[in-house]
C-alpha cells in the first residue's frame, strides 16, 4: 500500500464526505490494519446497500489492486471517479492500478488529474514522471521530475530519474549534474555512480570518471560495483570475470523493471538466440533437456519451452529468478553461479542457451569447459557475447566501461575448439542500443562432437 492509500484509509473518508455507515467504517479500519479478508466482505455489503457509495468503491478498488485483481480495481475506482471527478486520491490510486497493468500512458494521465487537483502531491508528480519515462515521453518526464524535485529536494530517486530522462534526450551534462545531486544526497547510490561514470566516458572525461569511482571506493571499500566499475574505467586490476557479488548486486537492483528497461534499449538477444536455435534444431518436439544459462527474468523461456521436455534455468540473482518463476515456463529454477552449476551436472543437457550472460565473463575457458562437460554428445551450446575486433584486443577479450566484457571472433573459435565444441555458426548482430548507439555482438551456435570424451576444466571461484 502506498503513502496516499495509507493516508486516505487513516482518515477513513474524503475531505467533506461522510463514510455513510458503521459497516464501511469497520471495513476501512480493518483495511488499514492489513486485514483484507475481513475488510472485503464489509466493503461489498456497503456497496450492496448503496452501489453509488464513492468511498466504498474507491477503497474496495484499492483492496482489489493489493490482491492483484487489477482490472476489477480499475473498474471500481473509475466508478468512484464517475461520481466525483474531483477525487484526487482516487485519481492517484487509479494511476497506481494502471501502472501495475503496464498501461503507462493511461497511468500518466491519471496521475496528471491527481496533480491538477492536488498540486502538492509529491508522489503523484513522481509517479507520473516514472510512467512518462517508461512510455519514452522523456521531455514530459523531465518536467515531472523537476516539479518533484522542486517540491521535495531531498527525494533521491527524483534526482536519479531526472538524470535518466535527461540522458535519454542526449542532455548528458545536465544528466551528469543530476546524478551528482543523487550522490550528494546518498553517497552510496550504486546506480548513480555507474550511470554517471558511463556518461563521463561518453564525453571523453575518463579522468573524472576514474576519480569519482575512486572516491566511491574510498567511501565503500567493499562495494563490488565500485570495484568492478573502477577496473572497467581504469584498466587496472581487471578480473577474469565479474565477481559474483557484482553480478548479484547489479541484477537484484534491476529486477523489478528489467524487462521494460530492455524494451527501451531494443534488446534483441532472446529473439536472436531463438532464431539461431530454430535454424539448427528445426521443428520443436518437446524432446530435449534444455538449460537457460543466466535466465534472468525468463525472457528466453517462451522460445525454449517448445523444444524442452525439461526446461531448467539458473541465475545468480534471486530477484531475477523470482520473476522468471512467475512466468511459469520453467520446470526447474536455481540461484547459483553458472560455472559451478554446470560442473555439478555432467552430460545432463541436449541444449544450453545463454543470452547476454557471458558478457560478464572475460576468460571463457572455465565456463566453456564446464558447458562442454554438461552437454551430452552432439548437444548444442547457443550464446551471445558483445563483439570487438581482434586488432583491439590481442588477448581476445576486454572489459568495457559499461562493465561488460567484449570478445573477438577468433578468441571464441579458439576457446570452443579447445573444448571440442566446433562452431556451427557465428553471426555478427546488433544486440541492443546503448546511449542510442548500436551494440555489436555475436550469436554463436556450437555443437559438441558426438565422439568427444569428458571435457577437462579448471574452476576457480570468483572473488566476492
Amino acid at each position: 500500500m502506498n503513502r496516499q492509500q495509507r493516508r486516505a484509509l487513516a482518515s477513513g473518508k474524503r475531505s467533506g464526505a461522510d463514510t455513510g455507515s458503521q459497516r464501511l467504517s469497520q471495513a476501512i479500519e480493518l483495511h488499514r490494519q492489513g486485514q483484507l479478508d475481513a475488510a472485503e466482505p464489509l466493503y461489498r455489503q456497503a456497496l450492496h446497500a448503496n452501489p453509488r457509495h464513492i468511498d466504498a468503491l474507491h477503497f474496495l478498488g484499492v483492496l482489489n489492486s493489493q490482491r492483484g485483481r487489477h482490472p476489477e480495481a480499475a473498474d471500481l475506482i473509475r466508478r468512484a471517479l464517475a461520481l466525483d471527478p474531483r477525487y484526487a486520491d482516487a485519481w492517484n490510486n487509479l494511476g497506481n492500478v494502471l501502472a501495475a497493468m503496464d498501461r503507462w500512458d493511461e497511468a500518466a494521465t491519471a496521475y496528471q488529474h491527481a496533480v491538477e487537483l492536488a498540486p502538492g502531491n509529491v508522489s503523484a508528480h513522481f509517479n507520473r514522471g516514472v510512467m512518462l519515462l517508461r512510455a519514452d515521453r522523456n521531455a514530459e518526464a523531465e518536467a515531472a521530475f523537476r516539479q518533484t524535485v522542486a517540491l521535495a529536494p531531498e527525494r533521491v530517486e527524483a534526482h536519479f530519474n531526472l538524470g535518466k530522462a535527461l540522458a535519454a534526450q542526449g542532455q548528458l551534462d545536465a544528466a551528469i549534474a543530476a546524478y551528482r545531486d543523487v550522490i550528494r544526497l546518498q553517497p552510496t547510490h550504486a546506480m548513480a555512480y555507474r550511470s554517471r561514470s558511463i556518461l563521463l566516458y561518453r564525453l571523453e572525461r575518463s579522468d573524472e570518471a576514474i576519480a569519482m569511482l575512486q572516491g566511491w571506493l574510498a567511501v565503500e571499500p567493499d562495494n563490488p560495483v565500485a570495484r568492478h566499475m573502477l577496473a572497467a574505467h581504469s584498466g587496472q586490476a581487471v578480473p577474469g570475470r565479474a565477481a559474483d557479488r557484482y553480478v548479484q548486486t547489479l541484477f537484484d537492483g534491476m529486477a523489478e523493471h528489467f524487462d521494460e528497461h530492455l524494451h527501451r534499449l531494443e534488446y534483441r538477444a532472446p529473439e536472436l538466440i531463438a532464431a539461431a536455435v530454430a535454424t539448427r534444431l528445426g521443428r520443436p518436439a518437446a524432446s530435449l533437456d534444455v538449460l537457460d544459462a543466466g535466465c534472468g527474468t525468463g525472457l528466453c523461456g517462451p522460445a525454449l519451452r517448445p523444444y524442452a521436455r525439461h526446461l531448467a534455468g539458473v541465475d545468480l540473482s534471486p530477484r531475477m529468478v523470482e520473476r522468471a518463476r512467475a512466468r511459469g515456463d520453467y520446470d526447474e529454477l536455481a540461484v547459483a553461479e553458472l560455472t559451478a552449476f554446470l560442473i555439478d551436472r555432467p552430460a545432463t543437457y541436449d541444449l544450453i542457451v545463454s543470452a547476454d550472460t557471458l558478457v560478464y565473463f572475460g576468460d571463457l575457458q572455465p565456463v566453456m569447459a564446464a558447458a562442454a562437460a554438461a552437454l551430452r554428445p552432439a548437444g548444442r551450446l547457443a550464446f551471445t557475447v558483445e563483439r570487438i575486433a581482434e586488432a583491439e584486443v590481442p588477448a581476445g577479450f576486454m572489459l568495457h566501461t559499461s562493465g561488460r566484457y567484449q570478445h573477438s571472433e577468433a578468441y571464441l573459435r579458439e576457446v570452443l575448439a579447445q573444448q571440442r565444441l566446433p562452431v556451427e555458426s557465428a553471426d555478427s548482430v546488433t544486440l541492443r542500443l546503448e546511449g542510442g548507439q548500436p551494440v555489436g555482438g555475436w550469436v554463436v551456435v556450437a555443437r559438441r562432437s558426438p565422439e568427444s570424451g569428458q571435457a577437462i576444466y579448471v574452476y576457480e571461484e570468483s572473488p566476492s
Side-chain angles (χ1 to χ4, degrees):
M1 186 183 302
N2 66 30
R3 189 178 303 172
Q4 281 69 40
Q5 292 166 349
R6 287 195 299 269
R7 185 166 59 235
L9 285 169
S11 69
K13 59 183 178 180
R14 296 167 294 130
S15 177
D18 187 357
T19 57
S21 72
Q22 182 180 2
R23 184 177 292 116
L24 180 61
S25 297
Q26 291 172 345
I28 290 171
E29 178 59 24
L30 291 165
H31 193 174
R32 186 183 65 79
Q33 295 172 8
Q35 298 184 46
L36 305 188
D37 288 340
E40 181 171 354
L42 294 177
Y43 281 134
R44 296 194 183 278
Q45 290 170 27
L47 282 175
H48 181 74
N50 179 7
R52 294 171 59 84
H53 199 296
I54 296 171
D55 286 320
L57 289 165
H58 175 210
F59 291 132
L60 180 58
V62 171
L63 185 148
N64 272 280
S65 179
Q66 289 174 266
R67 291 191 147 167
R69 302 194 297 249
H70 302 305
E72 183 178 352
D75 177 67
L76 287 162
I77 298 174
R78 287 188 192 280
R79 286 166 58 190
L81 286 165
L83 295 168
D84 183 0
R86 297 191 61 78
Y87 195 168
D89 282 341
W91 280 115
N92 189 70
N93 284 324
L94 178 60
N96 295 337
V97 173
L98 293 168
M101 297 167 71
D102 293 337
R103 291 160 63 174
W104 302 327
D105 287 301
E106 293 176 69
T109 300
Y111 289 130
Q112 176 63 29
H113 286 301
V115 299
E116 287 171 353
L117 294 166
N121 187 331
V122 174
S123 292
H125 283 287
F126 178 82
N127 291 339
R128 178 170 177 266
V130 171
M131 294 301 102
L132 292 166
L133 196 61
R134 293 181 187 175
D136 291 324
R137 295 162 60 182
N138 298 307
E140 295 173 84
E142 175 194 347
F145 290 127
R146 288 196 184 280
Q147 184 61 36
T148 308
V149 167
L151 291 169
E154 304 303 309
R155 187 154 183 164
V156 172
E157 291 307 309
H159 290 277
F160 181 72
N161 282 324
L162 175 59
K164 291 169 66 174
L166 290 164
Q169 297 175 79
Q171 300 181 47
L172 303 191
D173 286 309
I176 287 169
Y179 292 138
R180 182 181 61 234
D181 288 335
V182 175
I183 293 167
R184 173 179 55 82
L185 293 167
Q186 186 178 324
T188 58
H189 196 293
M191 292 306 295
Y193 281 107
R194 187 175 184 274
S195 300
R196 190 165 186 256
S197 68
I198 290 170
L199 294 185
L200 287 168
Y201 176 81
R202 285 174 59 188
L203 292 174
E204 299 183 354
R205 293 159 60 181
S206 298
D207 290 344
E208 288 182 60
I210 291 169
M212 180 194 67
L213 293 167
Q214 288 172 332
W216 179 19
L217 201 58
V219 173
E220 292 190 284
D222 295 327
N223 189 293
V225 182
R227 187 181 302 113
H228 185 82
M229 293 306 295
L230 180 57
H233 280 269
S234 68
Q236 303 297 314
V238 175
R241 68 177 174 93
D244 293 353
R245 284 183 60 217
Y246 169 75
V247 175
Q248 190 173 83
T249 300
L250 181 67
F251 285 96
D252 275 354
M254 296 170 62
E256 184 175 357
H257 303 301
F258 186 69
D259 292 2
E260 66 203 47
H261 171 68
L262 293 183
H263 175 75
R264 289 197 298 273
L265 298 180
E266 299 181 20
Y267 177 66
R268 302 177 61 230
E271 65 187 76
L272 292 168
I273 284 275
V277 168
T279 297
R280 291 296 161 185
L281 296 183
R283 186 182 299 275
S287 60
L288 305 177
D289 291 319
V290 181
L291 174 66
D292 188 352
C295 61
T297 60
L299 292 175
C300 287
L304 297 176
R305 183 71 262 176
Y307 293 93
R309 65 182 175 190
H310 186 273
L311 177 58
V314 59
D315 201 278
L316 254 177
S317 166
R319 294 191 64 194
M320 289 283 191
V321 169
E322 286 175 14
R323 299 184 83 78
R325 182 170 287 112
R327 290 181 185 274
D329 292 312
Y330 296 85
D331 300 301
E332 173 192 358
L333 284 162
V335 177
E337 193 283 318
L338 178 56
T339 310
F341 180 90
L342 291 167
I343 288 171
D344 287 342
R345 288 158 179 80
T348 300
Y349 302 107
D350 303 296
L351 173 65
I352 298 174
V353 164
S354 186
D356 263 17
T357 296
L358 299 179
V359 294
Y360 295 99
F361 293 73
D363 178 6
L364 294 177
Q365 292 277 6
V367 69
M368 290 300 184
L375 283 171
R376 294 179 178 134
R380 284 184 169 91
L381 169 67
F383 64 91
T384 64
V385 291
E386 292 189 7
R387 183 177 70 242
I388 194 167
E390 279 83 358
E392 296 182 54
V393 282
F397 63 87
M398 68 166 287
L399 179 59
H400 190 263
T401 53
S402 64
R404 298 185 296 271
Y405 291 87
Q406 299 175 329
H407 298 84
S408 71
E409 181 182 10
Y411 176 77
L412 296 174
R413 289 183 178 276
E414 177 185 353
V415 171
L416 291 166
Q418 289 172 355
Q419 302 305 327
R420 299 180 184 177
L421 291 169
V423 173
E424 290 190 314
S425 62
D427 299 319
S428 177
V429 297
T430 295
L431 294 170
R432 68 179 170 286
L433 301 180
E434 187 90 27
Q437 299 300 310
V439 174
W442 298 107
V443 178
V444 179
V445 179
R447 190 175 192 183
R448 184 176 174 185
S449 301
E451 70 282 359
S452 65
Q454 185 78 5
I456 300 172
Y457 51 80
V458 176
Y459 171 66
E460 294 181 0
E461 290 190 4
S462 170
S464 63

